[in-house]
């Protein structure tokens, strides 16, 4: 619904107000700091599996190496580190494939269903408090979904791409979490020694694998000789690479989040200030990395995990609440994707999944706070520090604590000539997409601008807005995909979307205001007969004028340029 950066903070802004939005964003910032710290902290443990690097498994070598990884990535991000989507995709698929292979090998070599059942003694191993906390740890799987939503602003077709990515993440997470857990507890089962239940997966002693659990599983699959050594080297190298990328992803994530908060005057403007040479948010990168350095220096695996749960559960609870609130506050907005399981209450479709999810994540947060002191002594002060800072900043700036505002940029230098438009909305009606139309619209907004190609699906008045029309909608999405491909070939940044509407003109005007379009570029070259020249939609837009209007007709390709 809202293809923009910020994740749960953005959802809360639309559903509630800036006060709650900042609360969710500040909790999420703690998670990004912990993502950076945790990922960098575990790099040396897996790297120690490689030849000549065994010293990295012990202090102070592991701490120094982890800090070195973080400092290197901070430097590269300030300089402008370009990520390769293909390399990241290759490594992610390789990592997923490796874990699936571990599950398959484990199932063949060590899986023992009887042992799995008999090593569990509910109330003792695990205890009730351990079980409750384990549920909060398992909920960290939501983090992948949060990451997907935070990338929605850069998706070509958010309404299609984001739900598909979330579904893939869900399948992958369930398969890997369950598979790896079952194999791990078969390879390294729970033991009962002197009245204490334990497993080497949770032991960081000389023979434990708390810091590199996947290597522990590899060591106990029954492999030997060169095969075992090769598997250790492979997993160590792959895990090191993945954790290096995860550290970098945390830096990029906190940059996006803080930029979004700063743009909405929830953080001081310095958090969105760019480096004069490299044009990167250097202050944000350095500021939040400083907290990650502290966490790595005084590292404790349990503390890091508990704090991560604290921030994640708060932000996810807010996200669930925002989904429910938007169903009540804005029920008629187009929703590209809906979860099944909705109940109509007072004329509103309330999503049961969000209600259950919100209750679950909130109870998990309560469990973390009650059972683990570091959540109370670090997590709560972090939230208080942020909220007090927010109030002080807003009061000094003379701004309301709850109303949304956007940062006003300072005036450009006298010799700076900026193009008039940055965002163009291009309606698509017919079954043919002309790359020339996208190119013409792109010329108005410059190389850094964004073209929003929107397919308008008229819905007859005798039908409800969400009624059927599957074939028509499938055709529309196919046309949008063609527009995206044509735009990419022409070197244009194209975002796509589909709008169901009774009045196309009104829907386009609303969409233009929602995305902050500077210009609507309406081409009638391939439009239906009713939209040729100055049709009904063009007439409506010219009358309402939500922004500048450019109409390209089929009469010698002339244009009508009308002021907003």
């Amino acid at each position: 619904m809202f293809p923009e950066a910020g994740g749960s903070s953005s959802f809360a802004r639309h559903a509630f107000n800036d006060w709650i939005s900042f609360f969710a964003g500040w909790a999420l910032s703690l998670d990004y700091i912990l993502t950076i710290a945790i990922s960098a902290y575990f790099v040396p443990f897996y790297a120690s599996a490689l030849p000549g690097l065994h010293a990295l498994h012990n202090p102070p070598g592991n701490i120094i190496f982890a800090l070195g990884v973080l400092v290197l990535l901070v430097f590269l991000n300030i300089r402008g580190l370009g990520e390769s989507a293909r390399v990241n995709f290759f490594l992610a698929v390789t990592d997923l494939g490796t874990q699936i292979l571990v599950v398959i090998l484990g199932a063949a070599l060590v899986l023992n269903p009887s042992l799995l059942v008999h090593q569990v003694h509910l109330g003792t191993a695990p205890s009730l408090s351990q079980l409750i906390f384990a549920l909060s740890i398992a909920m960290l799987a939501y983090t992948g979904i949060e990451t997907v939503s935070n990338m929605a602003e850069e998706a070509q077709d958010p309404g299609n791409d984001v739900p598909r990515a979330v579904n893939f993440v869900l399948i992958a997470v369930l398969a890997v979490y369950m598979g790896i857990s079952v194999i791990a507890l078969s390879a390294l089962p729970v033991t009962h020694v002197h009245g204490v239940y334990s497993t080497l997966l949770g032991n960081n002693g000389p023979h434990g694998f708390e810091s590199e659990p996947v290597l522990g599983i590899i060591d106990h699959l029954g492999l030997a000789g060169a095969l075992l050594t090769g598997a250790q080297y492979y997993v160590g190298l792959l895990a090191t690479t993945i954790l290096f990328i995860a550290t970098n992803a945390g830096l990029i994530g906190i940059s996006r989040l803080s930029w979004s908060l700063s743009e909405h005057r929830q953080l001081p403007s310095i958090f969105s200030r760019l480096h004069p040479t490299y044009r990167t948010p250097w202050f944000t990168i350095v500021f939040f990395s400083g907290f990650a350095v502290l966490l790595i220096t005084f590292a404790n695996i349990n503390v890091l995990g508990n704090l991560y749960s604290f921030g994640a559960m708060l932000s996810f609870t807010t996200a669930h609440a925002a989904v429910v609130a938007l169903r009540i506050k804005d029920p008629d907005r187009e929703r590209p994707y809906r979860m099944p399981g909705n109940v109509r209450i007072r004329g509103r479709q309330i999503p049961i999944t969000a209600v259950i999810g919100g209750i679950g994540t909130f109870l998990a947060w309560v469990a973390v706070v009650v059972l683990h002191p570091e959540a109370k002594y670090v997590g709560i002060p972090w939230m208080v520090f942020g909220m007090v800072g927010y109030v002080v900043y807003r009061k000094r700036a003379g701004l309301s604590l709850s109303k949304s505002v956007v940062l006003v940029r300072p005036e450009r230098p006298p010799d700076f000539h900026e193009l008039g438009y940055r965002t163009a909305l291009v309606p698509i009606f017919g079954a043919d997409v002309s790359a020339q139309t996208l190119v013409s619209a792109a010329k108005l907004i410059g190389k850094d601008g964004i073209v929003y190609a929107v397919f308008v699906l008229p819905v007859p008045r005798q039908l409800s807005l969400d009624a059927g029309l599957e074939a028509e909608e499938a055709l529309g999405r196919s046309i949008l995909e063609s527009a995206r491909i044509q735009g990419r070939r022409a070197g244009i940044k194209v975002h796509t979307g589909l709008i169901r509407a009774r009045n196309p003109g009104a829907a386009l005007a609303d969409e233009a205001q929602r995305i902050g379009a500077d210009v609507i570029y309406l081409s009638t070259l391939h439009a239906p007969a009713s939209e040729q020249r100055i049709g009904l939609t063009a007439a409506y837009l010219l009358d309402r004028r939500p922004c500048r209007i450019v109409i390209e007709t089929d009469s010698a390709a002339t244009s009508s340029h009308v002021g907003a």
Side-chain angles (χ1 to χ4, degrees):
M1 288 170 60
F2 305 106
E4 56 191 51
S8 54
S9 173
S10 173
F11 309 157
R13 184 179 301 112
H14 290 285
F16 304 112
N17 54 48
D18 269 21
W19 170 264
I20 299 178
S21 168
F22 179 78
F23 179 85
W26 193 247
L28 193 58
S29 71
L30 178 60
D31 277 354
Y32 278 119
I33 294 171
L34 286 160
T35 296
I36 297 167
I38 290 173
S39 301
Y41 177 78
F42 284 101
V43 167
F45 290 103
Y46 279 98
S48 67
L50 300 174
L53 298 179
H54 184 70
L56 295 181
H57 193 277
N58 303 309
N62 58 346
I63 300 298
I64 294 173
F65 191 86
L67 292 175
V69 168
L70 179 54
V71 171
L72 174 63
L73 284 173
V74 167
F75 173 76
L76 292 176
N77 274 273
I78 292 176
R79 288 292 301 264
L81 174 64
E83 281 200 307
S84 171
R86 290 184 179 181
V87 172
N88 284 354
F89 179 75
F90 170 77
L91 289 171
V93 171
T94 303
D95 180 51
L96 181 62
T98 300
Q99 294 185 65
I100 292 174
L101 179 60
V102 169
V103 172
I104 294 173
L105 285 174
L109 298 175
V110 299
L111 180 61
N112 186 337
S114 176
L115 175 63
L116 280 174
V117 173
H118 288 97
Q119 67 181 310
V120 176
H121 305 277
L122 284 179
T124 304
S127 67
L128 182 60
S129 63
Q130 290 171 336
L131 177 62
I132 293 173
F133 182 63
L135 291 173
S136 68
I137 291 294
M139 287 183 184
L140 295 184
Y142 278 128
T143 307
I145 298 177
E146 177 75 27
T147 302
V148 172
S149 70
N150 208 28
M151 296 291 289
E153 189 171 353
E154 299 171 41
Q156 295 290 348
D157 182 6
N160 239 355
D161 296 341
V162 172
R164 185 189 310 150
V166 168
N167 287 333
F168 282 147
V169 167
L170 179 64
I171 294 170
V173 162
L174 285 176
V176 171
Y177 265 41
M178 291 191 294
I180 288 289
S181 298
V182 165
I183 299 305
L185 286 175
S186 294
L188 296 96
V190 174
T191 59
H192 186 207
V193 180
H194 303 303
V196 177
Y197 290 93
S198 64
T199 168
L200 291 178
L201 287 168
N203 185 335
N204 207 30
H207 303 292
F209 299 97
E210 187 179 41
S211 301
E212 61 283 347
V214 182
L215 280 175
I217 298 173
I218 295 295
D219 284 356
H220 288 75
L221 286 182
L223 305 178
L227 186 59
L228 174 60
T229 302
Q232 290 172 332
Y233 288 171
Y234 171 73
V235 169
L237 179 61
L238 180 62
T240 299
T241 307
I242 290 292
L243 289 168
F244 191 88
I245 292 174
T247 306
N248 191 58
L251 286 168
I252 294 174
I254 194 65
S255 298
R256 284 194 179 96
L257 175 62
S258 60
W259 178 279
S260 174
L261 293 174
S262 181
E263 286 286 285
H264 290 85
R265 302 294 295 273
Q266 293 168 294
L267 282 176
S269 59
I270 192 173
F271 284 90
S272 61
R273 186 175 300 168
L274 301 180
H275 192 281
T277 303
Y278 305 118
R279 311 302 295 166
T280 54
W282 65 272
F283 180 82
T284 288
I285 294 171
V286 172
F287 179 83
F288 288 107
S289 295
F291 290 105
V293 167
L294 292 176
L295 290 171
I296 294 172
T297 304
F298 301 100
N300 180 290
I301 296 175
N302 294 326
V303 170
L304 293 176
N306 298 340
L307 284 177
Y308 199 101
S309 299
F310 177 92
M313 295 308 105
L314 275 184
S315 59
F316 298 152
T317 300
T318 307
H320 286 302
V323 172
V324 177
L326 283 167
R327 291 288 184 91
I328 299 171
K329 177 182 178 181
D330 196 0
D332 298 325
R333 178 179 288 276
E334 182 206 357
R335 285 168 167 80
Y337 180 85
R338 287 175 186 253
M339 279 292 290
N342 299 285
V343 176
R344 184 173 291 276
I345 300 177
R346 295 185 179 181
R348 299 288 189 266
Q349 290 285 344
I350 304 301
I352 297 302
T353 48
V355 173
I356 295 174
I359 294 173
T361 52
F362 177 73
L363 291 178
W365 177 80
V366 172
V368 171
V369 172
V370 171
L371 298 175
H372 299 278
E374 55 269 15
K376 288 180 283 193
Y377 301 142
V378 179
I380 290 178
W382 172 264
M383 295 304 301
V384 172
F385 169 71
M387 298 310 294
V388 170
Y390 172 82
V391 171
V392 172
Y393 167 63
R394 282 275 187 147
K395 290 293 185 181
R396 287 186 175 180
L399 302 172
S400 166
L401 295 180
S402 58
K403 291 182 179 179
S404 295
V405 291
V406 178
L407 180 63
V408 178
R409 294 291 175 189
E411 294 185 4
R412 300 289 190 180
D415 58 345
F416 183 87
H417 300 286
E418 186 175 12
L419 291 171
Y421 310 128
R422 290 297 182 191
T423 306
L425 179 66
V426 179
I428 298 175
F429 293 96
D432 184 20
V433 178
S434 170
Q436 185 56 46
T437 301
L438 298 175
V439 171
S440 298
K443 287 180 179 178
L444 294 173
I445 59 177
K447 64 178 182 179
D448 295 326
I450 301 175
V451 173
Y452 285 83
V454 177
F455 185 88
V456 181
L457 177 60
V459 179
R461 294 193 176 276
Q462 63 268 29
L463 299 177
S464 65
L465 276 176
D466 55 357
L469 302 178
E470 289 86 358
E472 293 84 351
E473 184 166 321
L475 174 63
R477 298 207 179 276
S478 175
I479 292 170
L480 287 172
E481 180 64 15
S482 176
R484 187 185 65 79
I485 293 172
Q486 298 238 30
R488 185 172 61 187
R489 289 174 179 169
I492 303 168
K493 187 176 182 180
V494 179
H495 289 188
T496 59
L498 186 144
I499 298 178
R500 288 173 171 248
R502 303 199 190 282
N503 182 336
L508 288 170
D510 291 342
E511 185 68 6
Q513 290 181 333
R514 185 185 74 80
I515 68 174
D518 298 310
V519 60
I520 297 177
Y521 194 97
L522 178 62
S523 173
T524 64
L525 296 177
H526 304 287
S530 61
E531 299 295 345
Q532 296 290 332
R533 295 180 180 271
I534 307 297
L536 296 175
T537 300
Y540 184 94
L541 291 172
L542 291 172
D543 179 63
R544 182 168 169 181
R545 299 185 188 183
C547 58
R548 298 278 181 174
I549 313 293
V550 174
I551 302 174
E552 182 182 1
T553 70
D554 59 357
S555 176
T558 56
S559 296
S560 173
H561 194 176
V562 184

